[in-house]
Structures are given as C-alpha cells and as structure tokens.
Amino acid sequence: MVGFSSMLGREKCESYFIFSGETALGENFRAFLYTLALAYCFIGLSAITGRFFLSMENVVKHTREVVEVDPITQAEIIRHEKVWNYTIADISLLAFGTSFPQISLATIDAIQNMGNLYAGGLGPGTLIGSAAFDLFPIHAVCVVVPKAGELKKIADLGVWLVELFWSFWAYFWLYIILEVWTPNVVTLWEALLTVLQYGLLLTHAYAQDKRWPYISLPIARDERPEDWVPEVHEKVKCSEISNVNKEIVDTVDIFSIHSENPTDPKYERVPQIDDVAEISDKAEEKMLEHLLTIWGKQFVDALRLESPESKKVNNVYLRMAQVFWQLLFLPWRFLFAFVPPCHIAHGWISFVCSLLFISGIAYIVTKLTDLISCVTGINAYVIAFTALASGTSWPDLVASKIAAERQKTADSAIANITCSNSVNIYVGIGVPWLIDTLYNFIAYREPLRIQNAGGLSFSLVVFFSTSVGCILVLVLRRLIFGAELGGPRLWAWITFAFFMLLWIIFVVLSSLKVSGFI
C-alpha cells in the first residue's frame, strides 16, 4: 500500500518526538503512534480535571470573618462572608481554569514562533474550534445530564446576558482585527486591547451581579443558592481523580483548623488545652499528620485498579473492561498524586499545581500535533480546530457536566461555556499575540502577520451563524419548559442531536475551506 505522504509526493518527515530512530519507521505507522500518544494526553487532561475542580471548590468555599456593630445595641456582630463572588468565580476560576489547556497550548505556540513575522496557526485554530466544541457538544451534554423530568434554569439571566454579549463580541472583535481594521496583520495595540477586554468582562459581570445603577440590566434574579456547591456535596474526597463524587470523607483545611464557623469547610476540632503554645504545637502536629495521611492515600488510591463499587459487578467482562480502563489511567493518576491535597491553603496550591500539570501536557500536545501534521501532510489548522479543540476542551466538558449534575441551577454549567469562549479570545489569543507583537515591535518594528487569516475569518462566520441557532433553542426551551437544561427526556435528546449537528456543520465547512474545497 502506498503511504499517504508518498501519494502527496512529499519529502520524508525528519522531525521526531523522543529519539531520531523514529524517522526510520513508516510515515503511516508514525502517524498512528503519534495519534495514540495524542489521545493518551487527552486522557491525562480528563484525569487532572477532577483534581482541578475539587481544588477550585475549596478556593470558592473560602470565607472571611466580618465584624459589624449593631446600631441599636452597639453589640459586635460577627458574620462570615464568602471571599469569592459567585459570578467572578465562574468567570475567573472555572472558565479560566478549564480553558487553561487551550491557553497554554496557544502561549507555547506563540513562544516557539517568537522571531517569526508570522503568528502560528495552532493556537488560534484550537481556540476557535474549542469555542464551537464548548457551545455545541458541551451544551448538548448538559441538556441531557439532569435526571428525567428535572429542570435546571439560569437563575441570573442578567449575568448570563452580559456574559453572552462579551462572548459574541469577542469573536466579532477577532473578525474586525482579521478583516476590517488591519487585515491579515495584528498590531501591538490590537493585541493589548484584546487582553484588556477580559478585565472589562469581569467588571461588567460583577456590576450586573451587584446590580450597579446605570451599568446593569434591570432584570430580576431568581432564587440562587448562596453556596457555589450545594452543602450535600461539601465534604468531598480530594484524592479521588476519576470519580469526584462517589466517596465522601472528612478533610482538614490548614487555614480554618481554628475556625469556629460551622459553615467553613469541614475541619477537625483541636482538644481544649490550657497552654496556648501547647495548643499551637499540638494543632500543627495534628494538622501535618492529617495532611500527610491524605497525601499518602492519594498514592494508594492512584494504584488501586478496582473500587469497592466495581467489585460488586457480577459480569466478569464488565469488570475486566473497568480494570483495563483503570490501567490506562494509572500512570496519570500516580503522576497527579504528587499534587498536594486540595485542602492546603484553601485549595490554592492544588489549583496552581493542577494548572502546571495541564501546561506540561499542553506542551507535549503541541509537539505531537506538529509531528502528525508533518508525517501526514494534513494542515495543522485542521488538526487544531478538530482533534486539538475537542481534546483540550475535555476539562470544559467535565466541569460543565459536574456543575449541571451537582448545582441546583444552570448558572455555572452554562456560564462556564459562554465565559470559556470569552477567555479563549481575550486571554487565549490575546496573550500569545501580545507576546509576539511586542517581540516583533522591539526587534523588527513590524506587525505580526496572520497565516491563513481567510480560513480563520470563514470559521468565525460559520461559528456566528450556527451559534445563533444554539442560543435560539436555549431561549425556546426557557419559554416552553421553563428551564434551559433537563426536562422531558425525548426533547432533551432532540436538543442534544440538534446541537451535535450544528457542531458537525461547523467542523465540515471549516475543514473544506482550509483544504481549498470552498
């Protein structure tokens, strides 16, 4: 059989991933191996997502003590309020964190292209494809996730409309840069304005959440739970990676171990001791011992192939399939067990370490994508907005699915989708372009040229057209069923099929354009 690369009459790809001996293998076999490695990286992203989500929950649950004086009795009133605003947590922590694979990939691609007058196409292609994956397949999954007949609606329509506006404006702004303002090039000012608009999104959404006069929309907010995560799920086992909501254990937060607030994350009370110094020493000793126990259990759980639930399965073939799946996850789980427990420093250390691991996987993904493009001759942009966009958007899918399952409203599940799309442009494309344009301005006094700007612009037009259909369906579901997610199973699956069809249309048309068939 004639190899794919041979049919195209291309020269042999001399690049390799680990060792130079790879070039002696057939191009087709190399493409197969690199594709398997790419898929395994996506499994790693799904494995780290559970730990990232749990660390983020601990960050969001952090409270602070506020002392107020009663104007009548002059008595001091101590209350505890959450540090993080509900809306800002959705935009900055949830959306930014789940979009971090795409942001890391685009930033790495930009750094590798420094000194080149042309911007790399891998980052923008992945981010635009990710926007389509977020809007269509993830919405599709979230619609069918609630139980049969269960309805989950957006409690704060005003905030959602603000987020939706900035999401659509982000892609309209990108089209202006590519085709209207400075066609086919990006200037330093355009890149800087792109990044600054992320701050405008945060400010506008916060103003809407707080109902600031003259800035916010006059739309009333329905009842919304005060907790970002319902109380029934508050005590979560942080060492669990592949299944985040099965086992529940008591945990300890090193910053709240002395807290008397019963609404804080679960903590162990220290026995009363007369000597204050002795209290501190014993508390620190007990705290360290507890944390080391949790951390050690992370490694034990990582090496476990069967859970108590899987052992109850009577079907031997099903158990074998579960063990095989756990074997695939085992190297990733063991690696991610080095991430500190998510209750240290209110989850911040675990949160940051999770993002660092995601960045490392993103770097490997960029290398593998370049190699797949090299050995197959497939345009890297096509790989970017199809395979890369789907794989790196897996954390978005998992986070939105968990939010749709566990929260009482649809706010976070849908906000993660719309805000992730905004973050993709303002940060995911803005920061890499800022890096490259700044370097080019200093080194060459030249703007940054965009490869395949026409293909990017065409994908944006297709995305706009199909996204209108998606939003209209969500509006119709709100008017007919009273909620965006859930409802009658038949109509939920019909919605699922329609959203998936929109995604297929986007992928096919964009691929045909880049391949020169349109």
Side-chain angles (χ1 to χ4, degrees):
M1 181 180 291
V2 180
F4 180 70
S5 58
S6 300
M7 290 190 294
L8 294 177
R10 296 187 307 103
E11 294 182 1
K12 183 178 180 180
C13 178
E14 297 296 335
S15 302
Y16 57 89
F17 182 56
I18 299 177
F19 54 89
S20 58
E22 296 171 21
T23 57
L25 303 174
E27 300 287 77
N28 292 337
F29 185 61
R30 291 177 67 191
F32 173 73
L33 291 179
Y34 296 147
T35 302
L36 280 183
L38 187 65
Y40 196 62
C41 286
F42 294 155
I43 291 177
L45 286 176
S46 67
I48 193 64
T49 300
R51 187 175 298 281
F52 157 77
F53 196 87
L54 288 170
S55 64
M56 182 184 59
E57 286 182 356
N58 275 308
V59 172
V60 175
K61 287 188 292 186
H62 181 206
T63 59
R64 63 184 174 189
E65 187 177 278
V66 177
V67 179
E68 297 178 343
V69 178
D70 189 295
I72 299 175
T73 63
Q74 298 300 312
E76 287 188 349
I77 301 174
I78 299 176
R79 63 182 180 85
H80 294 264
E81 65 178 23
K82 293 190 176 296
V83 173
W84 282 90
N85 173 265
Y86 193 103
T87 298
I88 298 301
D90 282 338
I91 300 174
S92 58
L93 295 178
L94 182 61
F96 181 82
T98 55
S99 296
F100 203 72
Q102 302 96 299
I103 295 171
S104 298
L105 189 148
T107 304
I108 292 169
D109 187 45
I111 294 173
Q112 291 175 341
N113 278 279
M114 286 178 64
N116 190 341
L117 293 178
Y118 284 89
L122 198 62
T126 302
L127 289 160
I128 293 176
S130 174
F133 188 90
D134 286 353
L135 195 64
F136 305 129
I138 297 183
H139 263 130
V141 170
C142 288
V143 167
V144 298
V145 158
K147 299 176 182 178
E150 184 181 12
L151 293 170
K152 294 190 176 183
K153 66 178 182 178
I154 299 173
D156 198 332
L157 279 176
V159 169
W160 179 67
L161 289 174
V162 168
E163 294 167 346
L164 190 65
F165 164 77
W166 283 100
S167 175
F168 273 89
W169 167 250
Y171 292 88
F172 185 67
W173 167 253
L174 184 59
Y175 185 86
I176 292 174
I177 293 176
L178 293 174
E179 296 292 336
V180 180
W181 197 347
T182 54
N184 301 330
V185 299
V186 178
T187 65
L188 178 60
W189 286 109
E190 288 172 334
L192 185 60
L193 286 173
T194 302
V195 175
L196 291 177
Q197 288 181 71
Y198 180 62
L200 294 178
L201 162 63
L202 289 171
T203 303
H204 193 184
Y206 184 78
Q208 179 63 42
D209 184 81
K210 294 300 183 180
R211 296 304 191 270
W212 288 359
Y214 308 112
I215 300 178
S216 60
L217 298 172
I219 301 176
R221 175 165 51 215
D222 294 335
E223 183 180 355
R224 184 182 69 182
E226 288 299 321
D227 289 333
W228 194 78
V229 179
E231 290 183 4
V232 66
H233 296 288
E234 192 170 82
K235 298 180 291 182
V236 184
K237 178 181 177 182
C238 293
S239 59
E240 188 67 25
I241 295 177
S242 59
N243 193 345
V244 298
N245 56 356
K246 278 189 177 181
E247 292 189 59
I248 297 177
V249 298
D250 291 340
T251 51
V252 58
D253 187 323
I254 67 171
F255 284 169
S256 62
I257 193 168
H258 298 295
S259 174
E260 295 298 325
N261 177 24
T263 63
D264 273 353
K266 185 68 178 177
Y267 61 91
E268 292 191 354
R269 296 186 180 276
V270 181
Q272 295 295 322
I273 305 174
D274 294 333
D275 188 358
V276 176
E278 189 177 354
I279 292 178
S280 178
D281 292 341
K282 286 188 175 295
E284 290 180 3
E285 181 181 347
K286 190 174 184 64
M287 175 180 60
L288 181 61
E289 179 184 347
H290 193 92
L291 288 174
L292 290 176
T293 301
I294 295 176
W295 206 338
K297 199 169 188 310
Q298 289 182 175
F299 290 93
V300 174
D301 292 338
L303 298 175
R304 183 181 299 162
L305 295 180
E306 283 191 291
S307 65
E309 290 78 10
S310 63
K311 291 180 180 179
K312 298 177 183 178
V313 178
N314 295 325
N315 190 314
V316 63
Y317 298 106
L318 185 58
R319 286 188 63 180
M320 288 176 62
Q322 290 176 340
V323 170
F324 175 74
W325 183 247
Q326 294 301 321
L327 277 172
L328 283 179
F329 267 94
L330 191 145
W332 290 119
R333 288 203 315 239
F334 182 78
L335 179 64
F336 299 149
F338 287 95
V339 176
C342 62
H343 289 78
I344 299 177
H346 303 302
W348 276 111
I349 296 178
S350 177
F351 184 85
V352 172
C353 288
S354 298
L355 295 184
L356 291 176
F357 272 108
I358 290 173
S359 297
I361 298 174
Y363 175 76
I364 298 174
V365 166
T366 58
K367 292 292 186 182
L368 290 171
T369 304
D370 289 337
L371 286 169
I372 292 172
S373 178
C374 182
V375 299
T376 62
I378 299 176
N379 191 305
Y381 178 72
V382 175
I383 300 175
F385 70 75
T386 52
L388 281 190
S390 304
T392 56
S393 295
W394 196 256
D396 284 305
L397 174 61
V398 174
S400 288
K401 177 180 177 293
I402 292 174
E405 288 174 334
R406 297 172 58 181
Q407 293 192 327
K408 298 177 182 178
T409 68
D411 292 74
S412 291
I414 295 181
N416 178 48
I417 297 170
T418 52
C419 295
S420 291
N421 286 351
S422 300
V423 172
N424 283 347
I425 299 299
Y426 300 136
V427 181
I429 289 183
V431 170
W433 278 359
L434 185 60
I435 293 172
D436 281 344
T437 54
L438 184 61
Y439 183 87
N440 285 1
F441 179 79
I442 295 173
Y444 309 114
R445 299 290 175 177
E446 290 283 343
L448 182 67
R449 294 178 175 85
I450 304 299
Q451 289 180 331
N452 197 25
L456 286 172
S457 301
F458 180 83
S459 296
L460 287 172
V461 172
V462 176
F463 175 75
F464 275 124
S465 304
T466 49
S467 61
V468 170
C470 176
I471 300 304
L472 284 177
V473 168
L474 291 178
V475 172
L476 287 174
R477 287 181 58 83
R478 179 64 176 250
L479 295 175
I480 296 172
F481 304 119
E484 290 78 15
L485 307 182
R489 299 306 291 173
L490 175 62
W491 286 106
W493 283 107
I494 290 175
T495 305
F496 175 93
F498 178 71
F499 286 167
M500 294 303 296
L501 176 63
L502 291 177
W503 182 62
I504 293 172
I505 291 172
F506 169 82
V507 169
V508 171
L509 291 180
S510 297
S511 300
L512 291 176
K513 175 65 176 179
V514 174
S515 302
F517 294 104
I518 296 181

